[in-house]
């Protein structure tokens, strides 16, 4: 009994130490599907603003204006990343959840 418990705890600890994470999101439709994914209006305006900033001639801008543009791009990118619908679960959390399901 102790040997099984020790082996199980070593297995759990070795898997918890792995830096892998599982991402549960909707998969992108393949080329054979007829569904089209539409980009929300807010996201499209943010992407257009980033492209507009990239296309600007920044050589005429002052240092403060360039810094302001950089911070604007960073905040837009941060908002775009946070708008994702992904759920991240670490490997250790998955193992613990499975063990709890098996035990209970």
């Amino acid at each position: 009994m102790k040997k099984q418990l020790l082996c199980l705890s070593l297995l759990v600890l070795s898997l918890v130490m792995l830096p892998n994470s599982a991402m549960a999101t909707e998969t992108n439709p393949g080329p054979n599907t007829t569904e089209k994914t539409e980009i929300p209006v807010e996201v499209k305006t943010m992407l257009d603003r980033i492209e507009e900033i990239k296309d600007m001639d920044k050589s005429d801008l002052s240092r403060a204006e360039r810094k302001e543009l950089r911070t604007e791009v960073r905040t837009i990118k941060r908002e775009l990343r946070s708008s994702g619908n992904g759920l991240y679960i670490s490997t250790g959390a998955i193992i613990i959840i499975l063990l709890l399901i098996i035990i209970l």
Side-chain angles (χ1 to χ4, degrees):
M1 183 69 178
K2 285 184 180 182
K3 193 174 189 177
Q4 290 176 347
L5 185 60
L6 180 64
C7 289
L8 183 64
S9 63
L10 287 174
L11 176 69
V12 169
L13 285 175
S14 65
L15 291 175
V16 169
M17 295 299 174
L18 293 174
N20 297 336
S21 63
M23 182 176 167
T25 62
E26 294 180 17
T27 58
N28 292 333
N32 296 334
T33 60
T34 58
E35 298 176 18
K36 288 188 176 181
T37 56
E38 293 185 18
I39 299 174
V41 177
E42 298 88 19
V43 174
K44 185 150 180 59
T45 56
M46 287 183 208
L47 291 173
D48 289 341
R49 178 63 181 149
I50 288 177
E51 287 300 318
E52 180 182 323
I53 291 173
K54 284 182 183 178
D55 294 337
M56 274 186 189
D57 183 21
K58 297 175 192 87
S59 61
D60 298 336
L61 299 176
S62 69
R63 186 175 186 177
E65 291 170 335
R66 285 193 303 256
K67 186 176 181 180
E68 185 178 327
L69 285 176
R70 279 195 305 268
T71 56
E72 183 180 354
V73 168
R74 285 182 192 142
T75 55
I76 289 173
K77 285 184 178 182
R78 200 173 300 131
E79 288 175 11
L80 288 173
R81 273 188 234 120
S82 68
S83 68
N85 296 329
L87 173 67
Y88 296 93
I89 300 175
S90 69
T91 308
I94 291 173
I95 292 171
I96 291 172
I97 290 170
L98 290 175
L99 286 174
L100 288 174
I101 290 173
I102 291 170
I103 291 172
L104 301 176

